Amino acid sequence: MQHQDASSTVAERVAAPAQPQAGGALDPWRLVRTDRNPARDAHFESLFALANGHLGVRGGLEEAPSPSQASFLGGVWERTPIEYHERFPGFARHTDTRLPVVDGTRIGLTLDGQPVELDKGELLAFEQSLELRDGRLRRHTTWRSPTGASVEIQAERIVPWHTHGLLCLRYRIRSIDYRGPIALDSCLATGVTATGQGDDPRIGVRVDGGLSLTHRLADLARASVGQATQASGIRLACVQGHRLPDAALAFDTASTDDNGARQRYTAELTPGDSVTLEKYVAYAWNEPGDDTPHTSLLERAEAELAQALEQPFEQHLARQASACAGFWQTVDLAIDGDPATEQALRVNLFHLRQSTAPGGHASAAAKSLTGEGYEGHYFWDAEAFVLPSLACTAPALARGMLAYRVRMLDRARAHAREMNHARGALYPWRTIGGDECSAYFPSGSAQYHINAAIAFALKLYVDATDDTSLLLDGGAEMLFETARIWLQAGSYSQRRGQAFCIFQVTGPDEYTALVDNNHYTNRMAQQHLRHAASVADWLASEHPAEHARVAAAIGLTSGEPGEWRRAADAMYLPVDEQLGIFPQDDAFLEKPRLPESLRSDTQHNPLLLRLHPLTIYRYQVCKQADVLQAFVLAGADIDLASKRRNFDYYEGVTVHDSTLSASTFGIVAAEVGYDYKAWHYFQDALRVDLDDSHGNTAHGVHLAAMGGSWLGLVWGFGGFRNVDGTPTFAPSLPTAWRGYRFGLQWRGRQIRVTVTSGGVEYRLIDGAPLEIRHRGRPVILQADHETVMPLSGKAALPRPFKGVIFDLDGVIADTAVVHHAAWKKLAGEIGLPFDDSIGERLKGVDRRASLEILLEKAARPYSEAEKEALATRKNDYYRQQIERFGPDNLLPGARDAVASVRRAGLKTALASASRNAPLLLERLGIAELFDYVVDAARIARPKPDPEIFLAAAAGLELMPADCLGVEDAAAGIASIRAAGMTALGIGQAEALADADRLLPDIAAFDLGQLTT
C-alpha cells in the first residue's frame, strides 16, 4: 500500500528527538555530567573523548588535568619484544602498543599568582556535556577560591572530522567578584604515560622504550614539541598557536622544560570582565619505515596550524556541526517514549563515527582512540561489530577500514608463513602494525576466524555500497589469499563421510580453546569460501585483465575456486541428535558444566581474571556468544526452530564476560521471538560504557559493544539482514516504546524505517527505486513515496511437529485447585502458613518437591519418615477428591485439542508431575487418546529439569526437536525449553514469558494455525 500524502505518515507519528524541558527532562542530544567526583574522572574522560580517526583526546579538564587525561594518535605506537622462557616457532615476537602523545588540552589558570585547583575552594556550579549535534565538548564551572573570590569558566573543544591532527579549544574566564591579575598557561604536556600496567590483560602491558623528547620550542608565536619512539621508528611533531579575541589578554612569557612547552598570557580582571583564549594544536607524524625528518614533520604541523588560525573557533565549530548534521541525517534516529535509550544510542553512534577515518591508514581499535585499553589493538570485532554499523551509516569509513586490511596483506602473508602455511594470508588476532601481537596463541593466533570476519565485512560493504572498485583495488586478492588458509587448516575426514573438518582453532568463545570443528569457524569459513569462489568468477567474467593480473601475482589456478566450493559444500556442521543443537565443537557437549563454586564471584570479576585457563577449558562454559554469533553473520539458511533451541541451550552456559556477547544474544532473541530477552540483552549492550558495567570504561570505551547496540536496534528489533544484496526487514516493537525510527544507506539510497504499533513505514528519502523485502515479501521503494506494511506479531511455530506432549494440571483438567486445597489442608494441620504465592510455586512441581517448599518456614526439621508420612497424607486428600472426577471435569476444549492432534496423524503423550496421572486419565475418560504417559513415578528429577519431557519424547520414539510441549506453569515451560522442544504456554503472559507461543486457554488450541 502506497500513499502520496506524506503529511500523515507513520514516520511523523514517531516523536522527534526530545528537547530540554522545564524540570530537567533528559535531552537525548546531550550527555551531561554535573558531579565533580574525581573518582569518576577517568570514566567520563573516556565517554567525553573526542576523535577523528587519527587523533583522540580524552575529555579531561583544562586547568585540572587528572593523571589519566591523555591524547592519542592512531599512527603512533611502540614495539616491545615479547619475552618467553620457552620460545617455539611461530610465537609472536613483539607487541605494538599505542602510546599517549603530547597532550594539548592543558590551560593552567592562575588568580593573583595562585593556581586554580577546583578541588580546593568551593565549586558553586559544574556541568560538562558532550554535545552530540555538533561534536563538541562543553564545560561550565563556577568556582570560589579559598580567599572568597568567584570566577566563571567556560571551555569548549572539538577535534574536527575534516582534518588529520587538529585540536581546537576556546577557553573563557569571567570574573564574578574577583579583582586582580590572571594568567593562562597554555601547555603542550609530554609527561603522560600509560596507566594500564598490571595483571589485567584487557588494559595494558610492559612497554620498552616509549616516546622520548626530541625537540621543544616556545616563543611569542608558537610552542612546539617533537617526540620519537625508540623501536618502531615513529616520530611526531606537535605545535600550538592562539587567537586572542580580547585585547585585554596579552602574551607574557614562554618556556620549555622536560615536560614540554608553555606560553603564558596575562590580563587584569574586574568584576564582570571576561577574557577568551582560542587555542589550536596541530600534529604531524610519520609511518614506520618513513624517514621523514623532524623538520619536515614540524613544517607539516605548522602548515595545518597556520590554516586553522585563519578562522575563528566559531567557524571551525560550524564546519564540525555541518559534518555531524550529515551523519545524523543518515542515522535518522528517533525513539518515541524512551529518551534515555535514544541518548545512549546517539552517544554510541557518535563514538563509532569518530573512531576511524577514510584513507586506509588505520582501523577501529577495541577502545577506539579514547584510552590505552587493549594497547590500541585492532581485533576481529572491528569487522564483526563496528564495520557493519558504519557500512550503512558512514560507508567511506567502512571502506577505509577494509583498505587498511588490504594495505596489511603482505604482513598477513608473512604471518601465514610463521604459522607454517605455504601460501595464502592469515591476519593476526591483535595488531596495529600488521604483525601478531598476541603472546598467548591459544586465545590469540588460533582464532583463524578473523579471516572470515574480514571476508564477511568485505561482502557486506560491497553489497551495501555497490563499490566493486574496492575488489579491484586489492579486495579480491585479499579475499582469495585468506580463503586459501581454510584448505590448509582443514581436511576431508574419512571417518565423517568425507566431510570437510577444520582442526585446532579457537572460536569467538575464548573460554574454549584449540578445538576441532568450532561451529562458528566452520560456518563462517563455508561462507568465506563460497564468496571467494563467486568473486573469482565475477572477476574472470567482468574484469578479465584484472583477473589475469591477480592470478599471476598470487599463483591462482583455474581450479582453485572449484576447490573452495567443494570444501564449502562438504563443511562439517553436525547437529547433536539428543539436544537438536549445533555442538560448539567436537568436545564441547562432553564436558561438565562449570560448578557454581567456580562461577560465582562477589566482585563480578570475569573468569579470565580468577581461574587458570586450563581450568576454564575443562568446562562447558562460554565467555561470549559463539554458535549464536554464526547465526548473526552467516545464519540466513538456518531455520528459526534451530536458532531457538541453540539460544536456549547456550544461554545457560554463557557468562557474558565479553562486552561483545549481549548484542548478539539480543539480536538472536529478537529473531526467534523472545521479546523480553531481546530487550534486556539490548539494554546490556547499549549501556556498557554509560553504566561502566564491566568496570573498565576508564581505560577507553568498548567500541564493539557500541557498534553492537546499533546492530541490536537495526538487526535485532528492525530485523535487518543482507540477503544476496537485498536489504530485508522483519521489524518488531519493544513494549517499552511507542515507536522508533532509523535510517541507513544502501547503494547510494537513503532509506528510513519507522515502526509503530500501527505498522512499519518504509520510505526512500532519495535515490533511484530500490527493492527491499518485508518479512520475505518484495517491496519496491520509490522516492517521495511511503510504503506501510503490517507489524506482525509472533510468527507461527516454525516446524511440522511429529508429536505433542501435554501437561495435565491446568491444561487438560483443572486439578490445580484440588492440589491447592489438599496442600492448604495439610499446612493448616501442621501449623504452617499457606497463601496463593506458595500455591503458585507448587504448580507443575512433584509431590516431594512441593512438600519441601511447604516446609521452608517450618519451625523444626522433619525426618525422612515424617516427610513421607506428610506426602502420603496430602495424596490421600487429593485422591479423595479426584475419585469423584469425570469427563465433566475436563477443561473446555481439552478433549478436542488432544483428539485433533491424533487426527492430524501426530503422536500424543502426557507429562505430568502427578503420580495419579494414569488414574485421572481414566476418570476423565481420555486415557485412550494418549500414546504414552510419564508421571513422577517414572523420573528422578522434577520440573524444571527436562527429564520428564525427554522421557515422553523417548516413549514416543521421537526426537525432542520434533515435539511440541504444552504447559501452564513456568517450571513446565522451562522444562520443555531445556529439553530442546518448542513450548506452547496456556495462560497469562506474565507467568509464561519464556513460552514460544501463548494461548489464553486450551480451547484456543488449533494445530493448523500454530504451524502455518
Side-chain angles (χ1 to χ4, degrees):
M1 177 174 64
Q2 294 187 344
H3 306 276
Q4 298 290 335
D5 181 10
S7 64
S8 60
T9 65
V10 177
E12 291 177 342
R13 295 195 293 274
V14 171
Q19 300 301 313
Q21 300 173 6
L26 186 146
D27 181 356
W29 288 94
R30 305 178 72 228
L31 180 64
V32 180
R33 177 191 185 187
T34 57
D35 72 278
R36 183 65 186 94
N37 179 2
R40 291 168 54 82
D41 280 351
H43 177 215
F44 280 103
E45 285 166 10
S46 296
L47 287 173
F48 289 162
L50 300 177
N52 62 8
H54 301 287
L55 168 65
V57 180
R58 285 172 62 81
L61 310 186
E62 287 78 7
E63 68 283 332
S66 73
S68 53
Q69 169 58 31
S71 296
F72 300 92
L73 292 170
V76 177
W77 44 269
E78 181 63 297
R79 177 154 289 177
T80 300
I82 298 175
E83 297 178 0
Y84 304 90
H85 183 65
E86 300 174 84
R87 181 190 293 275
F88 291 91
F91 277 29
R93 294 185 173 273
H94 54 256
T95 187
D96 299 335
T97 303
R98 190 177 59 202
L99 302 174
V101 299
V102 54
D103 182 46
T105 63
R106 313 298 176 87
I107 301 177
L109 172 61
T110 301
L111 300 180
D112 198 19
Q114 297 297 314
V116 169
E117 299 178 59
L118 297 184
D119 295 336
K120 298 179 180 178
E122 184 180 359
L123 201 61
L124 303 177
F126 179 85
E127 180 183 278
Q128 189 179 23
S129 60
L130 181 62
E131 304 290 334
L132 299 168
R133 287 186 187 276
D134 55 21
R136 166 175 46 166
L137 183 64
R138 300 179 64 185
R139 177 167 60 90
H140 176 271
T141 304
T142 304
W143 178 79
R144 179 180 293 139
S145 73
T147 61
S150 301
V151 294
E152 180 184 69
I153 301 167
Q154 291 183 337
E156 301 171 274
R157 73 176 70 153
I158 58 173
V159 175
W161 290 352
H162 63 275
T163 65
H164 278 69
L166 181 66
L167 167 66
C168 307
L169 299 96
R170 179 164 61 186
Y171 190 87
R172 180 174 179 266
I173 176 78
R174 185 180 74 88
S175 170
I176 296 175
D177 55 18
Y178 171 73
R179 186 183 303 274
I182 70 162
L184 298 178
D185 289 304
S186 181
C187 303
L188 296 177
T190 62
V192 179
T193 58
T195 60
Q197 311 304 311
D199 295 332
D200 190 337
R202 302 170 299 174
I203 299 173
V205 297
R206 174 184 60 83
V207 176
D208 282 356
L211 287 170
S212 60
L213 191 64
T214 61
H215 160 87
R216 59 191 179 196
L217 175 68
D219 57 24
L220 169 64
R222 299 283 189 273
S224 60
V225 167
Q227 293 178 302
T229 63
Q230 298 182 33
S232 64
I234 298 173
R235 296 178 295 280
L236 71 97
C238 178
V239 58
Q240 74 176 18
H242 304 86
R243 290 174 59 93
L244 306 177
D246 301 307
L249 194 63
F251 174 77
D252 184 57
T253 60
S255 62
T256 64
D257 57 28
D258 290 342
N259 293 319
R262 182 185 69 173
Q263 293 169 291
R264 169 169 282 198
Y265 297 85
T266 58
E268 290 284 332
L269 283 185
T270 60
D273 290 344
S274 65
V275 293
T276 301
L277 179 70
E278 293 184 5
K279 176 176 181 176
Y280 301 88
V281 183
Y283 296 83
W285 61 97
N286 71 312
E287 293 188 7
D290 178 357
D291 294 330
T292 302
H294 269 300
T295 53
S296 297
L297 294 175
L298 185 60
E299 289 172 0
R300 279 167 41 190
E302 288 181 335
E304 181 159 11
L305 177 65
Q307 187 176 6
L309 288 169
E310 291 175 358
Q311 299 177 340
F313 183 87
E314 281 296 332
Q315 290 189 26
H316 290 284
L317 179 60
R319 187 169 181 181
Q320 177 76 343
S322 177
C324 289
F327 175 65
W328 293 123
Q329 184 176 11
T330 300
V331 169
D332 199 9
L333 173 70
I335 307 293
D336 185 2
D338 190 354
T341 290
E342 184 177 321
Q343 179 202 55
L345 280 166
R346 290 192 183 280
V347 169
N348 292 351
L349 284 162
F350 178 78
H351 276 286
L352 285 174
R353 170 57 183 83
Q354 67 176 10
S355 67
T356 189
H361 294 285
S363 185
K367 290 283 192 174
S368 184
L369 287 162
T370 66
E372 77 277 15
Y374 291 109
E375 302 179 72
H377 289 160
Y378 312 132
F379 295 79
W380 73 295
D381 48 85
E383 283 77 25
F385 292 86
V386 178
L387 189 145
S389 304
L390 294 175
C392 297
T393 58
L397 303 186
R399 194 187 202 281
M401 294 173 65
L402 289 165
Y404 161 80
R405 293 295 191 182
V406 171
R407 200 163 64 91
M408 294 297 164
L409 182 55
D410 281 343
R411 300 310 310 150
R413 290 186 177 111
H415 181 51
R417 305 303 171 268
E418 291 174 343
M419 301 295 287
N420 307 120
H421 296 299
R423 59 179 185 165
L426 177 62
Y427 278 87
W429 176 241
R430 55 189 299 172
T431 189
I432 299 179
D435 297 316
E436 179 62 80
C437 293
S438 176
Y440 186 63
F441 77 90
S443 62
S445 301
Q447 299 203 49
Y448 276 47
H449 64 85
I450 190 170
N451 269 15
I454 294 169
F456 161 82
L458 178 65
K459 183 179 188 304
L460 175 62
Y461 169 78
V462 173
D463 283 348
T465 62
D466 205 22
D467 178 14
T468 56
S469 68
L470 180 59
L471 295 174
L472 303 179
D473 292 341
E477 185 174 338
M478 176 177 70
L479 186 64
F480 303 156
E481 286 283 74
T482 51
R484 283 173 155 175
I485 294 299
W486 298 120
L487 271 68
Q488 299 169 72
S491 61
Y492 295 93
S493 171
Q494 293 183 357
R495 300 183 63 186
R496 293 188 170 96
Q498 294 301 310
F500 189 81
C501 300
I502 299 176
F503 303 109
Q504 290 301 285
V505 295
T506 299
D509 170 27
E510 296 173 10
Y511 287 175
T512 310
L514 299 180
V515 301
D516 297 338
N517 294 311
N518 169 254
H519 180 87
Y520 172 85
T521 302
N522 284 19
R523 191 170 290 277
M524 290 293 289
Q526 180 186 60
Q527 179 173 268
H528 184 177
L529 290 166
R530 286 174 174 164
H531 181 51
S534 176
V535 170
D537 291 347
W538 169 82
L539 197 64
S541 173
E542 301 296 325
H543 301 276
E546 180 63 18
H547 181 272
R549 185 197 67 78
V550 172
I554 67 174
L556 182 70
T557 67
S558 60
E560 277 192 79
E563 294 175 9
W564 298 339
R565 285 195 175 93
R566 179 187 169 214
D569 292 343
M571 190 65 66
Y572 185 60
L573 296 166
V575 178
D576 182 78
E577 292 185 0
Q578 181 178 1
L579 298 173
I581 67 170
F582 303 135
Q584 184 168 299
D585 58 70
D586 283 354
F588 187 82
L589 298 180
E590 302 296 330
K591 301 175 184 178
R593 294 199 178 195
L594 186 71
E596 186 62 32
S597 60
L598 294 178
R599 184 168 179 162
S600 61
D601 173 44
T602 56
Q603 301 301 316
H604 303 292
N605 288 321
L607 297 180
L608 64 90
L609 298 185
R610 297 188 283 115
L611 302 177
H612 190 283
L614 283 177
T615 301
I616 301 174
Y617 297 162
R618 291 184 180 117
Y619 291 101
Q620 198 178 134
V621 58
C622 298
K623 179 183 179 185
Q624 63 202 72
D626 192 295
V627 171
L628 268 61
Q629 187 69 44
F631 297 169
V632 174
L633 301 187
D637 297 330
I638 305 172
D639 64 275
L640 284 180
S642 295
K643 291 179 179 178
R644 186 180 290 111
R645 290 194 301 274
N646 280 276
F647 182 97
D648 295 342
Y649 188 86
Y650 287 106
E651 185 182 37
V653 296
T654 304
V655 294
H656 304 293
D657 280 351
S658 168
T659 59
L660 305 180
S661 191
S663 64
T664 298
F665 269 82
I667 292 168
V668 177
E671 183 177 14
V672 303
Y674 292 166
D675 302 336
Y676 176 82
K677 291 182 177 181
W679 170 256
H680 284 277
Y681 280 120
F682 169 72
Q683 289 293 324
D684 286 347
L686 179 73
R687 304 194 64 84
V688 163
D689 290 303
L690 289 174
D691 297 342
D692 196 16
S693 58
H694 284 244
N696 61 344
T697 298
H699 302 284
V701 300
H702 297 79
L703 198 64
M706 290 177 158
S709 68
W710 187 86
L711 299 180
L713 174 71
V714 177
W715 291 19
F717 300 135
F720 168 80
R721 296 293 186 274
N722 170 29
V723 180
D724 299 325
T726 299
T728 299
F729 302 89
S732 60
L733 179 63
T735 57
W737 299 345
R738 292 188 293 271
Y740 63 96
R741 182 180 75 227
F742 63 84
L744 53 82
Q745 289 187 359
W746 196 264
R747 298 192 175 184
R749 288 88 155 182
Q750 176 70 26
I751 305 170
R752 173 185 291 165
V753 181
T754 307
V755 182
T756 70
S757 59
V760 183
E761 178 190 285
Y762 299 100
R763 188 177 183 90
L764 184 63
I765 303 301
D766 57 48
L770 176 70
E771 179 180 322
I772 67 167
R773 293 185 190 132
H774 172 84
R775 298 191 179 277
R777 176 182 173 183
V779 177
I780 303 298
L781 300 185
Q782 300 183 46
D784 298 324
H785 289 68
E786 67 275 0
T787 301
V788 179
M789 304 296 289
L791 178 65
S792 300
K794 286 204 171 185
L797 297 175
R799 70 162 73 91
F801 299 103
K802 297 179 181 179
V804 179
I805 303 172
F806 294 89
D807 178 41
L808 176 58
D809 298 341
V811 174
I812 302 297
D814 191 10
T815 59
V817 295
V818 182
H819 282 292
H820 186 93
W823 284 118
K824 185 174 183 178
K825 181 177 181 180
L826 178 66
E829 291 174 347
I830 60 176
L832 292 178
F834 190 91
D835 55 24
D836 289 343
S837 64
I838 296 176
E840 187 66 29
R841 292 178 63 194
L842 304 184
K843 281 188 176 182
V845 181
D846 72 5
R847 188 186 313 160
R848 185 54 185 268
S850 295
L851 180 63
E852 296 295 345
I853 293 173
L854 188 69
L855 296 178
E856 285 176 351
K857 296 184 179 180
R860 66 174 181 85
Y862 283 76
S863 67
E864 286 300 314
E866 288 177 311
K867 290 179 181 179
E868 188 63 32
L870 290 175
T872 300
R873 191 194 311 178
K874 179 267 172 187
N875 191 51
D876 289 341
Y877 298 150
Y878 176 73
R879 287 179 66 90
Q880 291 169 13
Q881 294 296 318
I882 64 172
E883 287 287 350
R884 296 193 289 270
F885 266 46
D888 291 345
N889 293 103
L890 283 167
L891 287 170
R895 172 181 281 276
D896 290 342
V898 182
S900 70
V901 175
R902 296 292 293 268
R903 287 195 300 270
L906 279 63
K907 297 181 179 181
T908 59
L910 187 81
S912 172
S914 173
R915 293 174 182 265
N916 298 293
L919 173 63
L920 268 168
L921 293 181
E922 292 292 342
R923 292 284 187 266
L924 295 169
I926 57 171
E928 75 281 358
L929 295 181
F930 291 94
D931 298 303
Y932 196 75
V933 175
V934 183
D935 62 16
R938 295 182 178 226
I939 60 171
R941 297 178 297 278
K943 302 172 187 178
D945 189 276
E947 182 186 8
I948 192 168
F949 282 95
L950 291 174
L956 295 177
E957 298 182 343
L958 295 177
M959 294 292 296
D962 293 327
C963 297
L964 171 68
V966 186
E967 263 281 2
D968 73 315
I973 294 295
S975 178
I976 295 170
R977 300 290 301 282
M981 302 178 186
T982 300
L984 176 63
I986 304 295
Q988 298 299 312
E990 293 80 3
L992 305 172
D994 288 337
D996 296 296
R997 187 72 180 272
L998 193 68
L999 298 178
D1001 49 48
I1002 195 64
F1005 184 92
D1006 185 327
L1007 190 63
Q1009 290 187 2
L1010 288 171
T1011 57
T1012 58

